Amino acid sequence: MLGGVGYPEGVRDDGLPAVLSDPARLAALEASGMVGSAPEQVFDDLTRLAVSVTGAAISAITFVGGARTYWKSVPHLPYGGSEQWQNGVGESFCYFAVGANGPFIVEDAAKDPRTAGHQAIGPWGVGSWAGFPIVSTDGHAIGTMCVIDANPRQWQPRELETLATLARAVSNEINLRISLSTAQSALATANRALSVSQDLARSLQESLLPPVLRPVPGMDASARYLAATGDAEVEVVGDFYDLFNARGPWWTAVLGDVCGKGLEAAKVTALARYTLRADAGDHLSPAEVLDRLNTAMRAQRAPRFLTAVQATFRTTPAGAAGRLCLAGHPPALIRRADGRIQQTGLPGTLLGVMPTVRLSDVRFRLAPGDLLFLYTDGACEARPDPHKPLPHRPIFDEEALAEALAETCGMDAADTNAHIAEVLAGHHGGWASDDTALLSLRVPPRP
């Protein structure tokens, strides 16, 4: 037992927490379906948020077995398959929070008597560590959400509060999956399927999108929705887009991505779309509109968070001009008439988590031939099929997306989206792990 760390259920012969071998805990871990599973965007989003909020060098989501620790999300490190991203249970700090079934906070790992001399300090470069357990519905700690820094540091109360919230979000996501799986199995036995059929799921998904984009006078607009193919069953997801007249000459384009899938994601998508439409006419600042959406999501206890990009614009004699805001969303891209690609938008806080968000408007202008391109992260994080041999092809990232957009120089909005869709399909080989929404707005070139 390292440094006198105490555990409610004692220790095993190897000095590690006895609860690691508890059959009930191991059964809860097995039911989660997380052991040895591939990375998923919903969890990578949370670890990236933890790094953003705390400024730590590393954030990870792990699942802790009796003998091995399985790394579900370490998005800043290349994923080499489930065999690579696991290690002996005693070779990292993750078991501490599981053994205590509570937070484990270390501000100086080399000097803290609980961790001094631990074998993980050297290989992982652990100077400080903070983690909270991932807990099943019946109270078993099955994993850890943590942040790691190379140097000693004092963790601030707000940082730890956010980390605890993110650990609960991971727990809720997994427990929801288990509950849905259990309900589906029980109802299938009774010949009453709980899961939404593929046709119904797609119909519901389409109902959350505008049936046809309303034409913007003097602009060329097109949107495209690319369904994921990586899941055996079709589920309603949270990618959405909209384009509508806000008031007078002002128009609003919005595109968002709700965390997760299923009916809960659909509810948040509907809430977001109709709240944005209601407020955009009163507030021409996208930052103000997205801030009001965050307030509405918090007030209604929305079960999912979302990222979004909103642009409010009008046509001008020189083309188009407006303001754009990012809420935890990838930057928008502008393709100039000569093929140059420019990023636009300042990073902002995602919506539905924090009571106060940091959002900023950025002005943009489009000249004849210029195109504004909005997209969800399925377009910049496309992965190869991890179930096929040697899934080591690099992720289709923002740089690759910008290169693909540059290839569309001279294309209209619809052809631009079609080209991006074709390039994405060629990269992932027909296995799309995430749904993707694309929205292009172009000022037609002058004759």
Side-chain angles (χ1 to χ4, degrees), residues 141-333:
I142 60 174
T144 300
M145 171 109 194
C146 69
V147 286
I148 308 167
D149 244 355
N151 299 312
R153 63 175 285 174
Q154 182 177 2
W155 301 102
Q156 299 302 313
R158 183 177 179 182
E159 296 170 343
L160 297 178
E161 180 182 351
T162 300
L163 189 60
T165 299
L166 296 177
R168 288 195 297 272
V170 176
S171 301
N172 291 340
E173 175 68 21
I174 293 170
N175 292 328
L176 176 62
R177 295 183 185 187
I178 294 173
S179 297
L180 287 174
S181 176
T182 301
Q184 288 169 349
S185 297
L187 291 176
T189 302
N191 200 26
R192 291 181 292 117
L194 175 65
S195 60
V196 182
S197 70
Q198 292 192 1
D199 289 343
L200 181 57
R202 286 299 173 213
S203 296
L204 179 55
Q205 182 72 51
E206 291 167 2
S207 73
L208 299 173
L209 304 173
V212 178
L213 290 185
R214 184 175 175 184
V216 181
M219 296 282 286
D220 167 29
S222 178
R224 187 154 181 164
Y225 178 77
L226 309 174
T229 59
D231 295 328
E233 294 186 6
V234 176
E235 294 184 88
V236 184
V237 298
D239 287 16
F240 67 94
Y241 59 82
D242 205 353
L243 176 63
F244 56 91
N245 181 237
R247 73 168 187 241
W250 292 96
W251 289 74
T252 290
V254 63
L255 187 145
D257 187 355
V258 178
C259 168
K261 301 180 180 182
L263 294 180
E264 296 294 341
K267 293 176 185 177
V268 178
T269 299
L271 169 66
R273 184 166 174 238
Y274 292 112
T275 299
L276 291 168
R277 276 191 169 244
D279 288 341
D282 296 330
H283 305 279
L284 295 179
S285 162
E288 175 67 21
V289 174
L290 292 175
D291 183 82
R292 291 172 69 86
L293 174 57
N294 183 70
T295 300
M297 292 177 66
R298 297 271 301 174
Q300 298 194 33
R301 299 183 181 275
R304 295 283 191 272
F305 63 82
L306 69 83
T307 71
V309 52
Q310 179 181 333
T312 296
F313 62 94
R314 62 182 177 87
T315 57
T316 68
R323 289 181 285 183
L324 180 143
C325 180
L326 304 176
H329 204 80
L333 298 177

Side-chain angles (χ1 to χ4, degrees), residues 332-336 339-342 371-375 396 398-413 416-417 419-420 423 440:
L333 298 177
I334 294 178
R335 186 198 70 199
R336 296 300 180 187
R340 289 178 298 118
I341 305 299
Q342 299 174 344
L371 177 141
L372 176 67
F373 182 67
L374 311 180
Y375 56 95
F396 191 87
E398 291 182 5
E399 182 178 354
L401 179 62
E403 292 176 357
L405 184 61
E407 296 169 356
T408 68
C409 181
M411 294 185 185
D412 64 15
T416 295
N417 290 342
H419 179 79
I420 298 298
V423 172
S440 293

